[in-house]
Every structure is written in structure tokens, then in C-alpha cells.
Amino acid sequence: MEEIEIEPPNATVPVSDQYPEEIERIASDELTYAEFFNRYFRPNHPVIITSIAKDWECYNKWINRTENIPPTLDVAYLKARLPNVPVPVADCAKQYYNSHEKVELQLHDFLNTWACFENEETTQTELPTKRSRYYLKDWHLQSTVPEYCFYQTPRFFASDWLNEYLVETGADDYRFVYMGPKGTWTGFHADVFGSYSWSVNVFGQKLWYLLLPGEERKLLDSLNNLPFMITETLLHEVDAKFYTIRQRPGEAIFVPSGWYHQVQNVEDAISVNHNWFNGCNVGLIWRNLCDALRDVRREIDDCRDMDNFEEHCQLMLKASFGMDFEDFLTIIFYICDKRLASFLGGTKDRQFSTYELGKRHAEFDLKAIQHLLSGIVEGNHLAFCPDLFSNAMNWLNKVKSIEISFQSNDTV
């Protein structure tokens, strides 16, 4: 069991607020978790980490890397190894509002289109066309086949409150497999909730356009809408600051909270992706949630006098943002209880069954929770729901009662 730990509170750790000219590429064995935490998590900076997937089952078994021929997806192996379950597929030839139209295929049928094999539902003529536009996205393979250990969360990304809660409580998760042929792509967006994301290429190459925070506003149209698709030409026309990244097999990209990006498969490509948040960006997730609620209230302001207005706003918030205040705080309370038990009991929290959280890291998480809940309570954000306010006060007092001494440089 590997421990993930951070530097002592009094350690002098240089953290740069300046964005580099090019995103750093660092080998995984040349970067410790503590260094990653201080250099990229806390300042919310991107990085590319190489040699991540070399020991993964999906990297070594899904791809036929026979010498003297180009690597190819081993369709026969995957069809034999994985159940023929329904999978979500984006049709990159069809736009639906600000995303691609989604269809559902059986996994083996999708693999047939990838390999251009004939099957019962399509003709040989149709297959190459469908292959060029069908992109298997947001596939919850790990939760669908939990006993199949086809990858391991890299240690740098193991502090993950969102999936820690969802996986351990048997709820949905934000762990995905992406599989798309050359030319398929994901439109211009920031990740769900404004979360972090990591993406590891198992096979093929991807082209990323990654914009610095706030630069996306230069792309707003007269109606305050962002484009679905961007090009390098467009970004130069509006003088946006951005990175162009060519991601290679075995490399992980860490996408910071709130950074807009677009990704294209410039070769047939497969990746494993997570979205998540933790003590470093939980405050940003809360602010995004509050901003989304403000938008909902403004949208139905003419109904403010209706009964249960705030409850209705929370329902709309959950539908549009993906969670409401109660969902968010339920995650926070769960993590808080785990960290308190760890800190008071002298045990270590397990993360993804592979890592243990160090004591200083548990303290940092508790400080982040205290800071978050103090702001929520003092800002009177839960006035519409006395029970939720009472719960927030209860957990805030739990953290305060242990009287952890935090140094000023641990402020979240």
C-alpha cells in the first residue's frame, strides 16, 4: 500500500503563479506526489506526466503491438474479454445543442465498426463511414465490470473526494473510457462542475487546445454563448492565450479546474479519464455551484412568489449542474467523517484500494472542509433549508472540536 503525503506545514515550497511558455512534460518516476501537490494541484496548473500506463493491462493487452506492423486495437481480445454491454457513443457528424448526438450501441457492434467488420445491422459499405464518426465516450467500464483491473489510478490523482464517495457508496462515478477513431473529437468545454480531470492515452495520439483561465471569454458571441468548435485560427484571431498539446501514448494530461479545452483524435485513440475534486479545488466547485444557482434563480425570477421557490430552484440546479446543495454537502460530510476517523484513530484512509492518505494530508483535507463550511455558514447560503444548515453547523463543529493547529501557508 503506497502512502500519498504532502510536505509539513512549515516546509518552504516554491510555488509559481506564472504560467510557463510550454506545458511541462515530466516522467512519472521523476515527480513525487508532494511535488505534484505543490506545483500543480494548489496553483491549478496543467502538466503532462509521461510513462504512466506502461504497467496497465489495457495498455499491454488491448493493443496489438506486434513488431514490424503499426499498433492496432485487438478487437478479438476485447470481444473475448468484455461482456457485450450497451455503451454510449457520440455521433461526431451530428451536433445536438452544445454536444454531439448520442446513440447507444452494443459494445461488440461498436468494435465491429472500429475494425470495419460486417455485422447484422450494417452493410460493409456503411461501416467505414460509421467508423469515422462514432466515438465511444463516458463509458463507465470500471463500474460495469468492477472485477476487471485494466488500469490503476496514478498516485498523483489519488486524492479524489468525488469518486471516493461515489464508489464507496455504490453510486455513479466519474471514471471513464474513451475510444474513438481518427477524426473523432470532443467539443469546446470545461469539465463537469469545474472539476479537475486527468486523461491517460492508452493508444494513439490526441490534439488538445487548452485555454488559460478567463481566455474563453474572448470567444463569447453577442448572446454570451461559447462556440461548440474552435480552431487554432480562431484562437489567434481573438488573441486568446492557449496551449497546443500533442498527447502521446502512455502520457497523462492533468487539466486544472475551469480550464476550457477541445480534444481531437488525430489517430485512432483510446484513453482512460477521471473527473474529480479534492481539498485543493473544492472551494471552486462550491462557487460554481452557487453561480449555477444564481443563474437558475434569475431564469425563473418571475416565479419567486410561488410556494417552495427555493426547493424548485434546487431541483432545477440538480438537472442543469448535475448536483444540488444537498448532494454536494453529502459528499463533504462523508469525506469529513472519514478524515476525522483517520486523524483521531491514527489509521490511514485508503484511496482506490491502492493508496493510503498520510496524516498531514488528512489534516489538510480537514482544514479545507473547515474553511469551506465556515464560508457556507457565515454566508447564510443555507437559509432556505434549516435542516441542511443544522447539518453544516454540526460537521463544522466536529472539525473545530479537534483543534488542529494549521499554519498560515495551509490556507485553502
Side-chain angles (χ1 to χ4, degrees), residues 218-255:
K218 296 177 179 179
L219 295 164
L220 292 169
D221 64 16
S222 59
L223 298 177
N224 233 28
N225 294 319
L226 290 168
F228 175 51
M229 180 181 186
I230 59 172
T231 63
E232 196 161 343
T233 299
L234 174 61
L235 293 174
H236 285 304
E237 286 177 354
V238 300
D239 195 28
K241 296 181 178 63
F242 68 99
Y243 295 110
T244 301
I245 305 163
R246 189 95 171 198
Q247 184 188 18
R248 300 185 289 259
E251 294 184 337
I253 290 185
F254 169 63
V255 181

Side-chain angles (χ1 to χ4, degrees), residues 118-395:
E118 187 172 6
N119 62 41
E120 295 177 358
E121 297 182 1
T122 57
T123 68
Q124 189 71 25
T125 303
E126 292 172 330
L127 279 167
T129 301
K130 291 193 173 185
R131 183 187 190 281
S132 67
R133 70 192 219 203
Y134 277 2
Y135 191 2
L136 192 161
K137 300 174 66 174
D138 300 329
W139 180 24
H140 297 263
L141 174 57
Q142 187 64 85
S143 59
T144 301
V145 190
E147 69 278 6
Y148 183 31
C149 299
F150 61 96
Y151 77 103
Q152 178 178 310
T153 299
R155 65 181 181 276
F156 310 107
F157 315 131
S159 175
D160 177 346
W161 295 6
L162 180 61
N163 289 299
E164 181 179 352
Y165 167 78
L166 293 173
V167 173
E168 292 178 7
T169 60
D172 201 359
D173 65 3
Y174 286 86
R175 303 174 297 168
F176 308 110
V177 169
Y178 281 50
M179 185 181 296
K182 178 180 179 180
T184 51
W185 57 290
T186 298
F188 186 59
H189 70 288
D191 286 308
V192 60
F193 312 139
S195 62
Y196 295 137
S197 70
W198 63 261
S199 176
V200 173
N201 258 18
V202 173
F203 173 54
Q205 297 194 32
K206 296 178 184 285
L207 176 66
W208 293 66
Y209 296 130
L210 182 62
L211 276 67
L212 274 64
E215 292 297 298
E216 74 279 356
R217 290 194 288 268
K218 296 177 179 179
L219 295 164
L220 292 169
D221 64 16
S222 59
L223 298 177
N224 233 28
N225 294 319
L226 290 168
F228 175 51
M229 180 181 186
I230 59 172
T231 63
E232 196 161 343
T233 299
L234 174 61
L235 293 174
H236 285 304
E237 286 177 354
V238 300
D239 195 28
K241 296 181 178 63
F242 68 99
Y243 295 110
T244 301
I245 305 163
R246 189 95 171 198
Q247 184 188 18
R248 300 185 289 259
E251 294 184 337
I253 290 185
F254 169 63
V255 181
S257 278
W259 284 51
Y260 278 77
H261 52 282
Q262 178 176 289
V263 189
Q264 181 177 7
N265 295 322
V266 292
E267 298 177 348
D268 294 352
I270 300 172
S271 64
V272 178
N273 302 4
H274 282 200
N275 293 108
W276 88 106
F277 58 81
N278 60 27
C280 290
N281 69 334
V282 68
L284 178 59
I285 306 302
W286 170 249
R287 289 194 294 275
N288 291 340
L289 186 60
C290 290
D291 289 346
L293 177 60
R294 183 194 61 221
D295 292 342
V296 166
R297 286 171 172 162
R298 184 169 55 237
E299 184 72 20
I300 60 170
D301 188 64
D302 56 339
C303 301
R304 188 171 289 273
D305 293 334
M306 69 183 288
D307 292 338
N308 302 319
F309 174 77
E310 289 295 343
E311 290 82 353
H312 188 68
C313 287
Q314 289 294 313
L315 287 172
M316 293 181 64
L317 176 65
K318 187 166 186 171
S320 60
F321 189 78
M323 64 179 168
D324 59 18
F325 278 23
E326 184 174 6
D327 296 330
F328 175 76
L329 287 172
T330 297
I331 297 172
I332 302 307
F333 299 157
Y334 181 87
I335 298 298
C336 185
D337 280 345
K338 286 192 65 181
R339 300 298 183 268
L340 284 169
S342 171
F343 182 80
L344 296 174
T347 59
K348 294 181 179 179
D349 273 344
R350 288 192 175 187
Q351 313 290 306
F352 297 105
S353 302
T354 308
Y355 306 100
E356 291 181 334
L357 203 66
K359 183 176 181 180
R360 290 192 296 272
H361 208 311
E363 289 185 8
F364 177 88
D365 285 358
L366 287 168
K367 172 60 180 176
I369 291 169
Q370 179 179 336
H371 183 80
L372 173 73
L373 293 179
S374 294
I376 291 173
V377 168
E378 293 167 6
N380 204 29
H381 290 284
L382 305 177
F384 69 92
C385 183
D387 289 344
L388 202 53
F389 176 84
S390 177
N391 287 338
M393 280 296 303
N394 179 38
W395 264 272

